[in-house]
Amino acid sequence: MPRSFLVKKYFSNKKPYYRESQLESQTAFVPESFPLAELPTQNNASALTCHPSSPFFTSSDALPAPLSPITPASLPPSPSSSFGGEEEEDGGRTSDPPSPEVIQNIFHCLHCSKSYGSLSALSHHQLSSHQLPPSGPLLQTASVPSEESPRPAFHCKHCSKEYTSLGALKMHIRSHTLPCVCPTCGKAFSRPWLLRGHIRTHTGERPFACQHCSRAFADRSNLRAHLQTHSEVKKYQCGSCSRTFSRMSLLHKHNSSGCCPSS
DNA sequence: CTGGGGAGGGGGCCC
DNA sequence: AGGGCCCCCTCCCCA
């Protein structure tokens, strides 16, 4: 099973497809120098919300969203807060700036009333002291006293997505804050490796070569898609006519063109 | 219309 | 905990 689908997707039909115009609204880098990822910030100070729904421990509302930008060396090592180095990558200019004073020991274990400053610390405590799973029915926020929902939920304040782990939410938040900025064109990306792939479009580097022909690609996924073209039996098959296609999108086109009207 | 390349997005796993 | 990477998906564009 594709790992990518283990988490429910909310926008199956349309994806956040960050075009330049969209990026402009989401980032605030200065085109002239592209110094850092300037992200939506002061106004959405707590984009990351711990929104668990079960009843065991409490937290204040905001949690930090640690973002590590891949930007030109301008980042001074930000002093880690009590949240385990979750200081903002850009010195708090991104969204979700945690306020250390506010988030001290916000995670409380209701089994022994101990408090911790981070989810991980609490998780470790629960695991070691109570043999409890790190997350699960022991989470709750003071700000959102929802009824006993079987699983904790971490909600993104930028959109309606929710995750069962803080790490997953933090990763998702990056798709809003786009901390990785291309020094050449200023385009921003959510992850360093996305930026690296983008930079190859500037350098022309194509490290992924096809073993069956002379083509090379800058992106492994594109090589994989290309390899399908060398295969006699393609990966994606029409359920009606058994025709195979190298890409899902081609199969969709095929279906929409009339072979499988119902689909 | 179809096939394919280019580019970029997402979540999960591993270290 | 965070970075790196994997795999998969999707859209745009062009031949």
Side-chain angles (χ1 to χ4, degrees):
Chain A
M1 152 184 277
R3 290 175 299 181
S4 303
F5 301 108
L6 295 176
V7 171
K8 68 177 174 182
K9 295 192 174 184
Y10 293 70
F11 309 105
S12 55
N13 291 331
K14 78 292 107 263
K15 62 303 104 203
Y17 191 64
Y18 296 117
R19 287 257 165 240
E20 277 78 358
S21 58
Q22 294 171 293
L23 290 172
E24 288 171 5
S25 64
Q26 296 182 19
T27 64
F29 55 76
V30 180
E32 290 301 304
S33 56
F34 319 117
L36 290 176
E38 283 287 349
L39 303 170
T41 72
Q42 288 100 335
N43 294 336
N44 49 8
S46 52
L48 186 78
T49 302
C50 179
H51 209 231
S53 6
S54 13
F56 278 85
F57 80 76
T58 60
S59 79
S60 52
D61 192 303
L63 283 178
L67 304 171
S68 55
I70 278 211
T71 50
S74 38
L75 295 184
S78 64
S80 294
S81 67
S82 61
F83 239 69
E86 321 216 71
E87 198 63 45
E88 290 302 327
E89 78 285 6
D90 53 356
R93 282 168 293 153
T94 61
S95 57
D96 342 313
S99 175
E101 314 81 57
V102 175
I103 59 179
Q104 282 180 349
N105 295 340
I106 57 175
F107 298 92
H108 307 290
C109 176
L110 293 196
H111 285 268
C112 65
S113 300
K114 287 186 177 180
S115 298
Y116 297 87
S118 71
L119 178 58
S120 60
L122 175 65
S123 297
H124 182 268
H125 158 74
Q126 290 178 339
L127 191 61
S128 60
S129 300
H130 305 297
Q131 275 73 53
L132 292 171
S135 62
L138 293 183
L139 300 177
Q140 154 187 350
T141 57
S143 60
V144 185
S146 53
E147 298 306 311
E148 38 264 325
S149 140
R151 313 184 59 173
F154 296 89
H155 295 259
C156 175
K157 275 199 171 179
H158 292 292
C159 66
S160 60
K161 287 190 175 183
E162 64 181 55
Y163 298 85
T164 56
S165 76
L166 183 59
L169 175 58
K170 286 177 179 178
M171 184 59 68
H172 165 74
I173 290 290
R174 300 187 70 143
S175 68
H176 292 295
T177 58
L178 301 176
C180 307
V181 180
C182 175
T184 301
C185 68
K187 190 165 185 179
F189 299 85
S190 60
R191 307 189 199 179
W193 59 269
L194 278 173
L195 173 59
R196 281 195 290 274
H198 165 76
I199 287 176
R200 291 192 195 111
T201 67
H202 294 305
T203 64
E205 180 189 6
R206 292 167 176 262
F208 303 99
C210 177
Q211 296 181 343
H212 304 290
C213 67
S214 58
R215 294 197 67 98
F217 301 84
D219 182 85
R220 189 190 303 273
S221 290
N222 290 338
L223 169 61
R224 189 175 297 111
H226 166 77
L227 287 174
Q228 283 287 305
T229 68
H230 290 300
S231 174
E232 290 185 7
V233 178
K234 308 297 193 291
K235 188 175 181 179
Y236 303 96
Q237 183 174 39
C238 174
S240 294
C241 68
S242 297
R243 187 176 174 184
T244 59
F245 300 87
S246 60
R247 299 179 178 205
M248 178 74 80
S249 59
L250 295 177
L251 174 57
H252 286 162
K253 284 182 183 178
H254 168 74
N255 288 339
S256 60
S257 69
C259 180
C260 310
S262 60
S263 58

